[in-house]
Amino acid sequence: EAGRVIREAIQKRRSGSAAANSSAVEEKSSYADLVTETDQECERIIVRRLKEAFPGHKFIGEEEVSESGIMPELTDEPTWMIDPVDGTTNFVHGFPFVCVSIGLCVKKRPILGIVYNPLLEEFFKAREGQGATLNGAAISASEAVDLKAALIATEIGTKRDQGTMDATYKRVKALTSSCRSVRMCGSCACNMCGVACGRLDGFYEFGFGGPWDVAAAACILKEAGGSVVDPLGGGAFDLMSRRVLAANSSKLAEEIVNKL
């Protein structure tokens, strides 16, 4: 249902609908950090449906946190992580890397993930111990073992202060000089799923919005045989840290960490 809302909203924008073009696009932390009425509508739909099915579960959603300014504590209790429109800037511009991302965490660990791109009609799904699929077909991470032959993705993020920009481009330069090439699609979840299905060999990002960006895709990638670690040192991945390194293997993850 949320995917349909996204698809119809983009179709209206492309057709030049006055209602669509006048729909609210607001800035959050900066001119590069956007939220739309579609984000808010999709989160309401998802939370309502999940609460009906799982009334005792907790929820951490991007738009709710954005409005309240408070990040809830992640506990051991079942908690749904919801990004109703991952890739909001892409959505505003009609760039097709946009997805709904829904992850379920238990004991602070992602155990179920759903990432749906309604524009490319790609539905990634995984459950702990049961593998990962794309549109119902099993997927697995790539077998690239050498960083020089690897295609790596990253993101610029939404912060535009000089310190963040310098650090961001320093890392991009280091990776570009060591791997086959670097890509940016504008969606953390889409990038991680790209690693899960073998299109990409690795992905890293520092300072993304919150745990809702990575919870679902982390489960999908792990079930596809990939590795998810902390890009600072390669230690255990912390869902609440706002940094992630996703790779096809622990070996390639280690190589990328050494370059970052």
Side-chain angles (χ1 to χ4, degrees):
E1 186 177 351
R4 177 181 54 76
V5 170
I6 293 170
R7 188 167 52 247
E8 290 178 354
I10 286 187
Q11 288 171 348
K12 288 177 181 178
R13 285 180 177 275
R14 287 174 175 169
S15 68
S17 165
N21 291 330
S22 63
S23 64
V25 178
E26 301 175 1
E27 296 178 2
K28 293 195 282 189
S29 64
S30 74
Y31 64 87
D33 188 11
L34 306 178
V35 62
T36 71
E37 291 176 348
T38 302
D39 293 75
Q40 296 161 343
E41 181 182 356
C42 287
E43 184 161 312
R44 286 192 294 268
I45 290 169
I46 295 166
V47 171
R48 183 182 73 247
R49 290 294 187 89
L50 288 174
K51 281 186 175 180
E52 290 172 356
F54 307 101
H57 288 191
K58 293 188 173 183
F59 296 83
I60 299 179
E62 179 178 19
E63 304 317 322
E64 181 179 356
V65 171
S66 178
E67 290 177 10
S68 68
I70 300 172
M71 176 67 75
E73 179 185 1
L74 178 61
T75 68
D76 287 343
E77 295 181 50
T79 303
W80 293 91
M81 301 278 190
I82 303 162
D83 192 343
V85 183
D86 186 40
T88 299
T89 298
N90 290 350
F91 167 75
V92 170
H93 290 269
F95 192 60
F97 294 95
V98 178
C99 66
V100 179
S101 177
I102 305 171
L104 174 62
C105 298
V106 176
K107 295 183 178 180
K108 303 178 183 179
R109 187 180 74 254
I111 65 163
L112 183 149
I114 294 170
V115 173
Y116 175 48
N117 182 331
L119 304 183
L120 299 180
E121 286 294 347
E122 293 187 335
F123 192 97
F124 292 88
K125 180 173 65 174
R127 187 171 180 176
E128 189 175 60
Q130 297 186 19
T133 62
L134 166 57
N135 293 343
I139 56 173
S140 60
S142 73
E143 298 180 356
V145 295
D146 189 345
L147 184 57
K148 290 181 180 179
L151 183 63
I152 308 298
T154 188
E155 293 298 338
I156 296 299
T158 59
K159 292 185 178 180
R160 296 294 183 263
D161 62 278
Q162 195 60 50
T164 299
M165 295 294 286
D166 288 345
T168 297
Y169 283 105
K170 182 179 179 180
R171 289 189 288 263
V172 170
K173 182 179 179 181
L175 259 298
T176 303
S177 64
S178 305
C179 70
R180 178 158 287 163
S181 195
V182 175
R183 297 288 184 266
M184 299 179 192
C185 84
S187 162
C188 185
C190 286
N191 279 318
M192 291 180 70
C193 286
V195 179
C197 70
R199 293 174 187 159
L200 296 168
D201 304 302
F203 164 72
Y204 73 90
E205 185 172 0
F206 291 79
F208 51 81
W212 45 79
D213 288 309
V214 295
C219 179
I220 292 166
L221 177 55
K222 287 180 180 179
E223 288 300 306
S227 176
V228 185
V229 301
D230 187 338
L232 289 181
F237 170 59
D238 178 357
L239 191 60
M240 305 300 285
S241 69
R242 298 181 65 217
R243 59 180 184 264
V244 68
L245 169 56
N248 66 349
S249 66
S250 57
K251 179 182 182 299
L252 191 63
E254 183 178 353
E255 286 195 59
I256 296 171
V257 166
N258 291 336
K259 295 299 179 181
L260 297 177

